[in-house]
Amino acid sequence: MTSSPAPAARLARPLIELREVEKYYGDYYALRKITTDIREGEFFSLLGPSGCGKTTLLRCIAGFEEISGGHLSIDGKDMEDVPANKRPTNMVFQSYAIFPHLTVEENVGFGLRRDPSSKEDKARRVAEALEMVGLKGFGKRAAHALSGGQRQRVALARALILKPRVLLLDEPLSALDKKMREQMQSELRKLQRQVGITFILVTHDQEEALIMSDRIAVMFEGEIAQLDSPERLYRRPISRKVAEFIGIMNFLPARVLSTGPQIALDVAGLGQIAIDAEQCPGTPRTGDASVGFRPETMTVLYEGDPEPSRGKVAQGTVEEVVYFGDMSYYEVRLEGVEKPVQISMRNVVGRPVLLRGSRTRIAWEAGALVLFCEPKA
Amino acid sequence: MRGRGFQIYAICYLIFLYAPIALLPIFAFNNSTVISFPLSGFTTQWFSQLWTDTSLLLAVKHSLIVAVSVSILATCFGVFAARATTRYAFPMKQGLMGMIMLPLVLPDIIIAVSLLVVLMQMGASLSILTVILGHTLIATPFTIAILNSAFQSLDKSLEEAAIDLGETPASTFRLIILPLVMPGIISSLLIAFSISLDEYIIAAFLSGTEATLPVYIFAQFRFPNKVPVIMALGTILVCLSITLLTIAEYFRRRGIAKAGGKDTGGFL
Ligand SMILES: Nc1ncnc2c1ncn2[C@@H]1O[C@H](COP(=O)(O)OP(=O)(O)OP(=O)(O)O)[C@@H](O)[C@H]1O
Ligand SMILES: [Mg+2]
């Protein structure tokens, strides 16, 4: 495999275009009017809770499911009449689907059966593919005599040997143990950069999606709720639902007093503040709303600590402390707020972990807040 | 003490099961046309007579033709049905499968009589062809049952993976599905073969002048001097079946081991 880092121009071109793609089983809508572009050479993840339609969307792209409505094109070509075996996609199945009666070599070379090139050429490509996934010398093994991680690699090599335009991966790491999973996450990411092929990964593990992806589509109930880079998804979730699905977010009840380039708010526990309009993902409107912030955007101050130069200070009581070695997790009840908020702090040598029940000051910044103007669920 | 009771029961059961079969070779080599103890002497004449009895050899030939045809036909139908029920949804699936499996519990005599009536009405002449028809009818439910479980244990994503890698549905069937259900197919061929080989009622009704082995043997019991020859024939058949089953079981186990599957028990 030659590594060709995708040039920026190529990166921008949509490789897969989905236009109002729908899929229903009887009267059950598994996918509702999905319109999005997936770019050439990107690592794209479909993230969502169980049953939201991730696998269905992936299988529609692969051609295993016929779409019930809308249009799907790959590389500018409409896929309506193109069967799965003619599409420029290859798939890594959740169960890996390694052919148990064939050797590793025969599995990896399976897709080359219809390739007109010589036997030696094919053997060389199989060896290269095996080396790429770190299975050099495993070619003659029986496929059923492999560990889970090795099966996964065989499945990868088998799918990549055809140099597809798109590699589809359906929860490829969910069957591995934690350590193996973490190792494969970084290997997959490296492999994707190396081969420059568009990867579409299905996962319900938000951490995995954040670590690996260029862009993530968060799906709920057959719809894409938000499509963004991992950072934007984490910092500017479009709704409370997305915010709750990705990492931890604290919510405080708030009232919007006035809107404009600056939004004036009265936030429980934090007082009256003003934030940028950009910090509200929806359309801001006056009235009841809620404000969210991530656990690491607030800081628990010690007794002698000076007031922070930027930002403000709120008062609270430590309700619970969880010590995690490098981190401590605090549950702090802000003054005037019923539900305690979670704050995570990096542990520093020489600074003891605060005890339960101690009164403390919390430093916070208005820039870290996100305003959700949606009716409370 | 309870354990002892079960032991005796098991031993009696096995004696009841195998003693008659053990008698076959004993009388096949006995130098007398009367089947009774004490034995009178050793001979192989019954075996040599076997080879000269042309009507018996003809019956063997008929039976083999019928059994081989039935095992292939019933297994093909079984593959179609098992494939259809495990992969596709179609209206009336349950009802249709029930109808197909019905001959499993239907008395053979009913099938034999009704087939005979229909064939007579159609003006068809009775021959081993009509026996093949009848036997396929009763063997197919068995092959479907065997093949259903073989196809059911097949992971659907294996097929999808082959298609994803560029194969057509037909080549996927040949390259992936067939090798993986081979143990089931071998079992199915064998079961259908043995069902057909020793079936009497349908064969007696439908064979006309082309008697199959069981029909021929039953007819021969009218002539006492023929009985030792039949004992000899029985001995050969027992040896043949044991050899055949051993070979089949060997291939079945090898197939399973190669695919890394767990042995879920063939019929041996
Ligand atoms: N063949 C089918 N017939 C009927 N309903 C189906 C079919 N396939 C999927 N569904 C339904 O469509 C919905 C989406 O299924 P899908 O497999 O895409 O979920 P998913 O997001 O991949 O979930 P998971 O994380 O559990 O794998 C589910 O509610 C499922 O029950
Ligand atoms: Mg899924």
Side-chain angles (χ1 to χ4, degrees), chain A residues 54-56 94 170-171 202:
Chain A
K54 310 177 292 283
T55 300
T56 305
Q94 183 165 7
D170 191 359
E171 311 213 10
V202 162

